[in-house]
Amino acid sequence: MSSRPRVYCRIRPLNEKEGAVEGKNECFFDKDGNTLLYHKADGDVVRSRFDSVMGPATDQKTVYRLLKDEVTSSLMTGYNATVFAYGQTGSGKTYTMEGQRAGDQRGLIHNFVSEIFDQFAQKKDVENVSVQMSYVQIYQDQIQDLLQARKLLDIRLDKSGAYIASGACWRDVSSATQAMNVYYDAAKNRATNSTDMNLVSSRSHALLQFQLKWDEPLAPGSNAKLNLVDLAGSEKVFKTGACGEVLKEAIAINKSLSALSNVVKALVDQARDPEKQHHVPYKDSKLTYLLQSSLGGNNLVHFILCLSASVLYQSEGMSTIEFGKRALKIVLEPVKNPSDDPRMIELRQHISELEGKLSQKGAQGGAADTSMTGKKPAGENEKFLVMDDIAQDNEDEGGPGGRGKQAKDLINAEIKKLEEQQRTVEERLVQRGAELEQLKGSNAKEREQFQSKFTEEKRRYMEELNILRCNVQRQRERLEQGEEEVARARHKRAKRSMRIEKIGTRQKLKNSQELERIYKTLPESLHELTSHCILFPDSKEHFRKLGGLKKLIALIDCRGNKGRESYIAHASYALSIALDELGRDEVRELGGVHAVSQVLSRTDEHSKQFACRALEAVVRGNAANKREITDDVLLQLCGLVGTHPHQQVQEAACSALAEIADSLPDIKEKLMLHGLIRKMVSMIRDTPPEVADLIKVGVTVVGRLAQQHLPCQNEIAALGGVKILADTLFSSVGDRDPQLPVLTAYALVNICCNNRENMIILQKHPKWADIKFKVLEGLGRVFSDSIASENRIRATASHSIRSDGGRELFGYHGVTCVSEWSPFTAGGRPTYSSFMENPQFTLTVSEDCNVSIVLSDLSCEDRHAHRTASKQKTIYMGLAVFRGDRALLCDRGLKQLDFNGRFVTSGRFNRNRENTLSLPLKGSPDPYIIVPFTAHLMQYTRFCLGVFADKEVEVTQVPEEGGWLKRVFEGSWTTATGRGADAFDWRNTDQFLITVAEETTVTAVLSYRAVDEFRTRQALAADDEEVPDDSPENEEARERPHLHGRVFSSSFAPNRRYVRSNVPSPQNTSFVACNEYLSSSSVKTTVTLQPNQTYVYVPSTETPCVDEYRVSFYSDSNEVNVSTLNPSSEWYAFKYKGTWPADSDSSPSRSPFVLLNGGGKVVIIGSAKDVYLLLSVYEILDNGRYEKVADLTPAVKTKKLASCDAFWANECVLETTLPDANKSYWVTLQGIVTLESGEQRAVTEGDYTLAVYAEDINVTCTSNDADGLMLVDRLNATPEVVTYGVEKLMN
């Protein structure tokens, strides 16, 4: 019966440091016993539901009572149980498991041990009770036995199919007191250390196991196992202050916990789609490898999520909660442990025999009653198996990811803003109306002026509301379009699947009928049979079931039947094509090996060639068939090599010999005696380059013979084979057939890499420096093939060949990993904006070495084997190497996003099933990073990455789980906003406001949306349907301006559009970061942001451009708020253009100026090319306000309110606050130029621009320049022109 894990959450009370945080210091709260509340900084509340949520006041007894009934019931019923304590470092995991040694606050370990012995004591009919315990830890990915002073252990599979720590000590214990004494003594050996977050921090994962055995009258031989797992806590290094050995421990802990998270994710995927086979990466870590039987086996699993309520660790807490929510979705298949009593074992065997007979009877005589063999429902004592699913808030709508709900939340937020803004407008209008009513008794002029302002203010607010309504409506339309597109895509996909299924069914029926016709008309239809099996490989099984192999062997073994002798050769060839893997044993039983061997004695070349092909197919991977080959047959095959006049016969004989000799030392000895090695070496040396195929099969035979066979290796070297093969690596034959150097490298690996004398010979070759890389590539291929065939995820290899004096002649160290390009990790080539989403691998090199990297496509053969009539996309693979960012990759386990300035090398695209890259690397404390990629987006396949070097290296895949958080926005540059980055009007482009709750790294990736979407279309198109480079429809070939992404701090008016300056300046600069390189494809801007500040990201182009853009924000924390501007963020802007006065003398009184009336924050900007500028603001001290510039006279008294600290080049910005809304202010712009002589004087010619951005709508501005032009602000523009970025919901 299926069940699910139980997940509990325990909130730890605040400690002294956490309680000292000013303001709100808690963010996690319990509610209603099973709901956890997370209070975000913006006031929103996130709810998560678990089996139970325990608040800070919960004591140890309460925790134990929650788990007691289910755990003890499952154990006493014969089910295994596992309890995990999971959470960040210092969250109370060890306290929950161990607690105090005496009193009421003892932990789960003591309570469960006591309960086990109490249960046995209470059951009077229980006999032969046995309790054994073991205690191991996983420390830095090594398994250590704590009962044997940290003895190193390995993992193996026991008789029951469970993974165990081999050699672990198991102690018999007879009481709870004895068991706890053993535990406390062993716990002294556990690795602990001190960090900034925990004075006594566990630095290892601990696994305490109890094996229970007992006899009951109705259940003799009962047994169960209890696993208590105290996981080490995840930690952020900059918070724990880890360094040195503690840092190594932290990296190992985070790596193993990431592997655990990947396993849980894979198990959830498996539960969601049980029809599809999902790989679960248990072997990525010793932790998950050892716990494989607990996580995915027959155990009942309990997770206790431990977290602190403090706001200091809210991101760590949310990561723990997300892990728990995923764990709830795992499907368990708990199975009762079978009795180990001999009588019960015999009874089970007897029941199995009876069930088999019952099934046979049902098959012969109709349906039989199978109710006895079906799964039984949970009995009265097994109610703990039945658990209801727990739904989370974000799964109510839109599927597991809750995307529909997120979209609705975004729209509701916009509507809420609209309503708040509307209420503000209405209140302001009512207030203004009341003020107007009070002016009824005033003179008509004042009433008229106020009425005019009131009308203007109302118009401005209504325009603002209209723009906001348009944006909300646009977002609603976009959501509706997205939903319609998703619905259409689903419908189209469903129709396509049905169509493909129907076509496939019809094709299978047609193929089956055609094959039956061919079978009935044999031998005349032999040619049709071979063609059919080549086109439809799945037909081989059907042909075998029809009895086709028996018929072919009868045709081959028809000597003396003159009417059919002409079919012998073609029947042999047909057998080599139509034979499937399961048919090889049938061929042997039918005498087919002997029959095919007899064909070799025929004189015609076709018979010999096809007999060799058939022998190769019959013995492939089948040792029993190889043993059927007699010495006479081996001698005949050797006789064909080098002597037969036809090349095709020699090639077929070599292929057969290579397959026969594979993995059988005794056959290799016989072939040596028949002189095959001498013939092979001579053939490789003497065959002309034009006959590349013959050289290739010769190299293959030599490599197979030398594999793990020292006599063959020595004879090849004695005949000069090492030098001949080394020369073949660089011969012109390799240009004709690129596979030949690959096979030659294979052969050299087999001949030299485990043979000191042969390696000495190889190193004497003048091209040894280049050969070394080829040998390392060959090693990479060998191990990649091995790991793929064994279905493993990771393997390491290391070997050293030393001279008699101990000097290392040659050593290799390699790591091979299996991964995949999935819908979330197929990011395309390095020029793509999504390149960083490809799988990434860290390569640690401690000393200078030579490295070869081999990338193999593991799904290539499957794709070709299952090709359909529909066109397929060719997958081109590539490799790139960069210098890594240690802080991101190692300390924090995050993918690297920005590779600017870190490029080392990359290889060419390759459409074959593999790609290689060889290079020398310098030893470095910082890791290198390897990024395998495909030429297009959305190309999904599994791959194997092998890295081999002549010095010790370490390769680790950067985990996908718990990485960067991504948000995507899209927008457009219009004629009003698409200004160049260096123009004054760059301020009109879209902007994004960013705030963080803690120190956070953010990377913004800016790209042209049209280019991204074009690349997606290219990825979906078939090879012959791709848009060529020279086509006008090729968006990548279009010339576009370089992109710019800049980040500024906005402290003066954080809720307004940033207008200060877009370049670093020496005067109080607000510039934070920008992209470090130029590109017209995509640019990245990486910056570390601090809390309590507002930042602005400005996407722009180098020159004015009208286009659409996409910007993706990646952050390492979920406490990041990114929002677009809206109409309420806009200033009220005045912009004037004028000409410098000819009589200017650089004094304020003879410089351009504007007259301001009103109060509040203002930003004033002066701009003039090749001029040094200075802005000043003066408060007019006379009572009243000046409405016109002409009213100002020299007698007006002023006081300087603010001024720039110095003259700015080309552009000057002044931010200030006008203190009194009832006064007038005088703003002056002074300018000086530097002459060629070095003299400075006032500017007297040329144009200038003077702009004022005001926060208050009531501010008015008038220029003294009669030719000046007032430009309206963006709020007065039409909704079709004014645009703001919109967040894109990610699928």
Side-chain angles (χ1 to χ4, degrees):
M1 181 176 181
S2 298
S3 186
R4 66 160 176 80
R6 284 65 164 155
V7 182
Y8 314 89
C9 182
R10 187 180 190 186
I11 305 174
R12 174 177 62 75
L14 300 182
N15 57 31
E16 184 177 349
K17 174 184 175 182
E18 296 164 348
V21 175
E22 295 182 2
K24 181 182 175 183
N25 55 15
E26 291 182 284
C27 61
F28 294 106
F29 304 90
D30 61 304
K31 181 186 178 184
D32 301 333
N34 69 342
T35 302
L36 178 72
L37 303 182
Y38 166 46
H39 289 240
K40 299 175 73 173
D42 59 5
D44 288 348
V45 178
V46 179
R47 290 175 173 82
S48 302
R49 298 185 183 91
F50 301 101
D51 289 287
S52 179
V53 178
M54 297 165 276
T58 307
D59 58 14
Q60 297 281 70
K61 283 190 173 181
T62 304
V63 178
Y64 170 63
R65 280 196 294 268
L66 280 171
L67 281 76
K68 170 188 170 184
D69 291 342
E70 285 198 7
V71 173
T72 55
S73 297
S74 60
L75 289 173
M76 294 304 155
T77 317
Y79 289 87
N80 296 339
T82 301
V83 181
F84 286 90
Y86 181 93
Q88 73 168 100
T89 184
S91 59
K93 299 180 299 300
T94 303
Y95 179 78
T96 298
M97 299 299 286
E98 184 175 311
Q100 298 177 359
R101 296 197 175 189
D104 295 336
Q105 297 304 313
R106 291 181 294 193
L108 292 177
I109 294 175
H110 186 282
N111 287 320
F112 278 132
V113 171
S114 299
E115 182 66 23
I116 288 170
F117 284 100
D118 289 345
Q119 289 275 347
F120 285 136
Q122 292 170 9
K123 295 186 176 183
K124 302 302 181 183
D125 53 353
V126 170
E127 299 177 346
N128 303 324
V129 175
S130 169
V131 179
Q132 292 181 310
M133 64 181 292
S134 76
Y135 195 20
V136 300
Q137 72 173 4
I138 297 98
Y139 176 69
Q140 295 198 22
D141 215 33
Q142 290 184 330
I143 302 176
Q144 302 173 347
D145 192 342
L146 298 180
L147 294 178
Q148 300 186 77
R150 293 196 180 185
K151 175 186 174 182
L152 294 180
L153 307 175
D154 205 352
I155 299 175
R156 68 173 176 84
L157 203 65
D158 69 358
K159 295 179 181 179
S160 66
Y163 289 90
I164 63 171
S166 177
C169 175
W170 286 86
R171 295 271 184 91
D172 290 305
V173 290
S174 56
S175 67
T177 303
Q178 182 187 3
M180 292 310 298
N181 288 336
V182 172
Y183 168 76
Y184 290 135
D185 287 342
K188 296 175 183 177
N189 294 325
R190 188 176 178 189
T192 59
N193 221 320
S194 177
T195 70
D196 291 350
M197 291 179 66
N198 197 354
L199 290 176
V200 183
S201 174
S202 301
R203 312 307 290 170
S204 67
H205 309 292
L207 172 58
L208 179 63
Q209 293 182 297
F210 291 91
Q211 179 68 57
L212 316 179
K213 296 182 179 180
W214 69 97
D215 290 333
E216 292 185 64
L218 298 178
S222 297
N223 62 92
K225 183 180 288 185
L226 172 63
N227 304 308
L228 299 172
V229 186
D230 180 13
L231 296 171
S234 60
E235 57 186 67
K236 291 186 176 180
V237 175
F238 68 90
K239 288 188 177 181
T240 60
C243 59
E245 190 65 25
V246 181
L247 177 60
K248 291 182 181 178
E249 295 170 346
I251 294 171
I253 290 169
N254 290 340
K255 179 181 174 183
S256 58
L257 290 175
S258 176
L260 174 62
S261 182
N262 289 337
V263 166
V264 170
K265 180 178 180 295
L267 291 172
V268 172
D269 293 341
Q270 185 172 284
R272 286 175 175 167
D273 188 6
E275 300 298 325
K276 181 180 177 182
Q277 177 139 16
H278 294 265
H279 168 71
V280 183
Y282 289 113
K283 296 183 181 180
D284 282 5
S285 166
K286 292 285 181 66
L287 172 66
T288 52
Y289 199 0
L290 186 59
L291 295 175
Q292 179 171 346
S293 303
S294 299
L295 290 167
N298 61 351
N299 287 23
L300 284 163
V301 183
H302 304 256
F303 287 99
I304 303 176
L305 309 179
C306 300
L307 66 155
S308 167
S310 173
V311 295
L312 296 176
Y313 310 121
Q314 51 192 344
S315 62
E316 291 89 340
M318 285 306 296
S319 296
T320 301
I321 291 168
E322 290 302 319
F323 174 86
K325 288 160 73 172
R326 279 197 299 271
L328 281 170
K329 298 182 179 70
I330 297 175
V331 175
L332 302 175
E333 299 288 345
V335 178
K336 195 171 184 177
N337 292 316
S339 170
D340 57 5
D341 186 273
R343 293 169 295 174
M344 299 299 292
I345 294 173
E346 183 179 349
L347 180 60
R348 283 199 300 271
Q349 292 175 346
H350 182 59
I351 291 173
S352 178
E353 292 174 1
L354 291 176
E355 287 178 345
K357 293 179 180 178
L358 184 63
S359 299
Q360 290 177 2
K361 183 179 179 181
Q364 294 171 359
D369 183 9
T370 59
S371 60
M372 293 181 63
T373 62
K375 288 187 178 180
K376 298 180 181 179
E380 190 66 30
N381 295 327
E382 299 177 0
K383 289 183 177 179
F384 51 82
L385 296 178
V386 182
M387 294 295 289
D388 295 330
D389 290 337
I390 297 178
Q392 304 295 338
D393 284 354
N394 63 347
E395 295 177 355
D396 295 339
E397 298 177 64
R403 298 299 180 187
K405 185 177 185 302
Q406 291 180 15
K408 292 179 181 177
D409 288 345
L410 285 173
I411 291 178
N412 290 331
E414 289 294 335
I415 294 174
K416 185 178 178 181
K417 288 181 182 179
L418 171 64
E419 292 172 345
E420 290 176 356
Q421 189 69 34
Q422 188 172 356
R423 281 194 296 270
T424 302
V425 172
E426 291 170 350
E427 291 171 1
R428 188 67 180 272
L429 291 176
V430 171
Q431 179 184 352
R432 286 302 204 189
E435 293 175 3
L436 183 63
E437 189 68 24
Q438 292 175 2
L439 288 174
K440 279 187 176 181
S442 304
N443 58 57
K445 184 177 180 181
E446 288 182 1
R447 206 163 44 247
E448 184 181 349
Q449 289 178 348
F450 192 87
Q451 178 69 50
S452 177
K453 286 186 179 180
F454 176 71
T455 303
E456 176 64 18
E457 184 175 349
K458 182 178 179 180
R459 183 185 66 80
R460 297 288 289 274
Y461 270 109
M462 294 308 296
E463 287 177 352
E464 183 175 343
L465 285 173
N466 288 335
I467 292 172
L468 192 56
R469 287 193 183 102
C470 289
N471 284 335
V472 172
Q473 183 62 27
R474 191 177 293 115
Q475 192 172 16
R476 280 180 171 156
E477 292 172 357
R478 186 164 189 164
L479 177 62
E480 291 173 0
Q481 289 176 357
E483 291 175 344
E484 291 174 0
E485 288 176 5
V486 169
R488 283 197 298 269
R490 286 175 179 167
H491 181 67
K492 185 176 180 181
R493 193 159 52 243
K495 287 182 64 177
R496 183 172 179 272
S497 298
M498 291 177 61
R499 186 169 64 252
I500 291 175
E501 187 176 351
K502 288 180 180 178
I503 293 173
T505 303
R506 287 199 298 268
Q507 186 65 48
K508 284 182 180 178
L509 180 60
K510 183 178 178 181
N511 292 345
S512 176
Q513 294 172 345
E514 178 70 9
L515 191 64
E516 290 173 5
R517 183 194 65 79
I518 292 172
Y519 170 76
K520 292 176 182 178
T521 55
L522 286 175
E524 289 80 6
S525 57
L526 282 171
H527 289 291
E528 292 181 81
L529 174 64
T530 55
S531 300
H532 186 89
C533 290
I534 291 173
L535 289 173
F536 308 107
D538 293 340
S539 298
K540 296 178 182 180
E541 182 182 2
H542 188 204
F543 180 71
R544 172 171 52 82
K545 291 179 178 179
L546 287 173
L549 296 180
K550 183 177 181 180
K551 205 165 188 178
L552 286 178
I553 292 171
L555 288 172
I556 295 171
D557 194 16
C558 65
R559 288 163 297 163
N561 188 340
K562 294 185 179 180
R564 295 207 167 190
E565 279 193 352
S566 59
Y567 294 115
I568 291 178
H570 293 296
S572 300
Y573 178 64
L575 179 65
S576 69
I577 300 298
L579 184 63
D580 66 342
E581 186 174 352
L582 296 178
R584 292 189 175 93
D585 291 332
E586 184 177 337
V587 169
R588 182 180 69 253
E589 293 166 0
L590 294 170
V593 179
H594 176 71
V596 173
S597 300
Q598 295 300 313
V599 181
L600 280 174
S601 59
R602 294 172 65 89
T603 56
D604 63 291
E605 62 176 275
H606 289 298
S607 295
K608 293 184 181 295
Q609 179 186 351
F610 294 152
C612 291
R613 297 294 184 199
L615 278 176
E616 179 190 1
V618 167
V619 304
R620 185 178 296 124
N622 193 304
N625 288 1
K626 293 179 183 180
R627 301 289 183 192
E628 293 280 317
I629 305 296
T630 64
D631 287 350
D632 290 339
V633 174
L634 292 177
L635 190 60
Q636 287 185 64
L637 289 171
C638 292
L640 296 175
V641 176
T643 58
H644 198 279
H646 290 90
Q647 174 193 336
Q648 290 85 354
V649 175
Q650 292 194 51
E651 290 177 11
C654 288
S655 298
L657 287 168
E659 198 62 55
I660 293 170
D662 190 27
S663 305
L664 291 181
D666 54 337
I667 292 181
K668 293 180 181 180
E669 296 281 354
K670 293 177 183 178
L671 294 175
M672 282 180 60
L673 295 175
H674 293 324
L676 179 63
I677 293 179
R678 182 178 297 277
K679 286 188 173 186
M680 289 290 105
V681 173
S682 300
M683 185 173 71
I684 297 170
R685 180 189 61 218
D686 300 334
T687 301
E690 292 78 12
V691 193
D693 288 340
L694 193 57
I695 299 175
K696 189 165 66 174
V697 293
V699 170
T700 302
V701 174
V702 169
R704 294 281 181 89
L705 291 171
Q707 187 177 14
Q708 298 179 352
H709 197 268
L710 187 61
C712 286
Q713 295 170 9
N714 293 335
E715 183 171 347
I716 292 169
L719 294 170
V722 175
K723 184 178 183 306
I724 292 171
L725 289 171
D727 292 338
T728 304
L729 272 176
F730 306 99
S731 68
S732 59
V733 188
D735 298 332
R736 297 173 178 271
D737 191 339
Q739 198 176 10
L740 178 61
V742 175
L743 295 172
T744 307
Y746 266 126
L748 287 173
V749 166
N750 291 332
I751 295 168
C752 303
C753 282
N754 292 301
N755 192 307
R756 184 178 64 185
E757 289 72 20
N758 291 359
M759 180 57 68
I760 293 173
I761 295 172
L762 185 61
Q763 288 183 340
K764 291 179 180 179
H765 195 279
K767 292 188 176 181
W768 164 244
D770 296 322
I771 293 173
K772 181 187 292 186
F773 285 115
K774 298 294 184 181
V775 170
L776 292 173
E777 286 179 12
L779 287 164
R781 292 187 183 94
V782 169
F783 280 89
S784 295
D785 292 344
S786 172
I787 193 174
S789 63
E790 296 172 9
N791 200 25
R792 288 194 290 166
I793 298 301
R794 179 182 171 86
T796 58
S798 182
H799 183 70
S800 178
I801 300 176
R802 298 186 178 274
S803 64
D804 293 334
R807 182 176 64 86
E808 185 178 74
L809 296 173
F810 178 76
Y812 63 82
H813 306 268
V815 182
T816 309
C817 304
V818 172
S819 186
E820 66 176 342
W821 287 294
S822 69
F824 301 102
T825 60
R829 63 185 75 178
T831 56
Y832 287 12
S833 60
S834 55
F835 171 71
M836 74 290 291
E837 295 177 0
N838 284 300
Q840 297 182 7
F841 298 81
T842 58
L843 170 61
T844 305
V845 178
S846 56
E847 54 183 317
D848 295 358
C849 63
N850 299 299
V851 178
S852 287
I853 307 169
V854 179
L855 179 65
S856 305
D857 183 355
L858 299 182
S859 305
C860 181
E861 293 181 2
D862 290 341
R863 287 197 305 274
H864 287 291
H866 298 89
R867 288 187 86 94
T868 62
S870 60
K871 298 177 181 178
Q872 287 189 338
K873 188 79 170 177
T874 303
I875 294 182
Y876 290 81
M877 302 187 303
L879 284 164
V881 180
F882 305 88
R883 287 186 293 276
D885 184 336
R886 182 181 181 83
L888 282 179
L889 299 168
C890 298
D891 299 346
R892 301 168 66 187
L894 295 173
K895 276 187 173 183
Q896 190 158 315
L897 302 182
D898 199 343
F899 300 98
N900 179 47
R902 296 177 175 272
F903 178 76
V904 176
T905 187
S906 65
R908 294 183 299 174
F909 291 125
N910 196 330
R911 65 178 294 176
N912 295 328
R913 65 179 298 269
E914 73 168 23
N915 200 336
T916 60
L917 181 63
S918 298
L919 70 162
L921 289 177
K922 295 284 187 182
S924 171
D926 294 325
Y928 294 91
I929 181 167
I930 304 172
V931 185
F933 58 90
T934 55
H936 289 286
L937 299 167
M938 300 186 298
Q939 294 193 310
Y940 313 136
T941 183
R942 294 180 73 234
F943 65 84
C944 182
L945 183 79
V947 181
F948 274 74
D950 54 4
K951 301 292 181 183
E952 187 171 355
V953 296
E954 177 61 36
V955 178
T956 306
Q957 183 169 3
V958 182
E960 301 292 339
E961 280 293 309
W964 297 95
L965 301 175
K966 180 181 178 183
R967 293 180 66 181
V968 179
F969 293 81
E970 292 180 346
S972 58
W973 294 299
T974 67
T975 53
T977 65
R979 310 297 182 177
D982 295 331
F984 181 91
D985 290 339
W986 66 266
R987 296 169 175 85
N988 284 350
T989 194
D990 290 350
Q991 297 183 5
F992 297 86
L993 303 178
I994 310 173
T995 57
V996 297
E998 60 182 354
E999 184 176 278
T1000 304
T1001 300
V1002 175
T1003 296
V1005 183
L1006 175 65
S1007 60
Y1008 285 105
R1009 182 180 169 189
V1011 175
D1012 288 349
E1013 293 179 348
F1014 171 76
R1015 288 167 173 168
T1016 301
R1017 291 195 299 272
Q1018 289 285 82
L1020 296 174
D1023 289 338
D1024 57 355
E1025 295 175 352
E1026 288 187 19
V1027 178
D1029 293 342
D1030 56 354
S1031 171
E1033 297 179 2
N1034 191 316
E1035 293 289 344
E1036 287 186 292
R1038 267 188 59 191
E1039 289 190 9
R1040 286 182 166 90
H1042 288 153
L1043 295 165
H1044 288 272
R1046 293 185 169 99
V1047 179
F1048 307 93
S1049 62
S1050 181
S1051 57
F1052 177 67
N1055 60 336
R1056 296 283 176 174
R1057 174 178 292 278
Y1058 176 82
V1059 294
R1060 180 179 172 82
S1061 178
N1062 70 334
V1063 293
S1065 60
Q1067 294 91 359
N1068 191 24
T1069 182
S1070 56
F1071 177 84
V1072 177
C1074 67
N1075 51 293
E1076 296 183 5
Y1077 65 99
L1078 296 177
S1079 172
S1080 56
S1081 174
S1082 66
V1083 294
K1084 302 179 185 68
T1085 306
T1086 301
V1087 62
T1088 300
L1089 306 182
Q1090 303 298 327
N1092 304 319
Q1093 292 190 45
T1094 299
Y1095 297 89
V1096 177
Y1097 176 78
V1098 182
S1100 58
T1101 54
E1102 193 169 41
T1103 57
C1105 176
V1106 176
D1107 212 326
E1108 293 181 323
Y1109 67 85
R1110 176 177 292 154
V1111 58
S1112 303
F1113 292 96
Y1114 296 82
S1115 62
D1116 61 353
S1117 169
N1118 58 357
E1119 293 298 324
V1120 177
N1121 182 39
V1122 182
S1123 61
T1124 61
L1125 292 182
N1126 56 64
S1128 62
S1129 307
E1130 301 294 355
W1131 301 87
Y1132 300 97
F1134 306 86
K1135 180 180 174 186
Y1136 299 91
K1137 290 185 178 180
T1139 304
W1140 292 98
D1143 58 348
S1144 175
D1145 60 3
S1146 78
S1147 64
S1149 60
R1150 302 184 66 84
S1151 300
F1153 69 89
V1154 295
L1155 178 64
L1156 291 179
N1157 285 308
K1161 293 181 178 179
V1162 294
V1163 180
I1164 307 164
I1165 303 168
S1167 175
K1169 190 176 180 181
D1170 300 328
V1171 179
Y1172 289 93
L1173 303 167
L1174 179 70
L1175 279 168
S1176 301
V1177 178
Y1178 298 86
E1179 179 182 350
I1180 299 178
L1181 298 178
D1182 293 347
N1183 294 329
R1185 292 163 48 134
Y1186 290 84
E1187 302 294 341
K1188 299 178 180 179
V1189 174
D1191 295 338
L1192 294 176
T1193 64
V1196 171
K1197 294 181 179 179
T1198 61
K1199 179 183 72 173
K1200 181 180 286 191
L1201 181 65
S1203 177
C1204 295
D1205 297 333
F1207 281 85
W1208 293 28
N1210 299 321
E1211 188 176 270
C1212 182
V1213 181
L1214 178 61
E1215 297 173 334
T1216 189
T1217 301
L1218 305 181
D1220 192 342
N1222 297 316
K1223 287 200 171 186
S1224 298
Y1225 301 89
W1226 182 22
V1227 180
T1228 65
L1229 177 65
Q1230 300 167 248
I1232 59 175
V1233 293
T1234 302
L1235 304 178
E1236 292 182 0
S1237 61
E1239 178 188 356
Q1240 290 186 334
R1241 65 168 177 80
V1243 60
T1244 57
E1245 59 183 353
D1247 297 330
Y1248 70 87
T1249 300
L1250 189 56
V1252 177
Y1253 290 84
E1255 188 177 40
D1256 192 348
I1257 192 173
N1258 295 309
V1259 172
T1260 61
C1261 183
T1262 309
S1263 172
N1264 72 319
D1265 193 333
D1267 297 327
L1269 174 66
M1270 178 176 174
L1271 302 181
V1272 297
D1273 58 286
R1274 292 182 69 189
L1275 288 179
N1276 283 327
T1278 60
E1280 289 76 17
V1281 175
V1282 178
T1283 61
Y1284 298 99
V1286 177
E1287 183 165 10
K1288 179 183 179 185
L1289 299 179
M1290 301 303 295
N1291 294 324

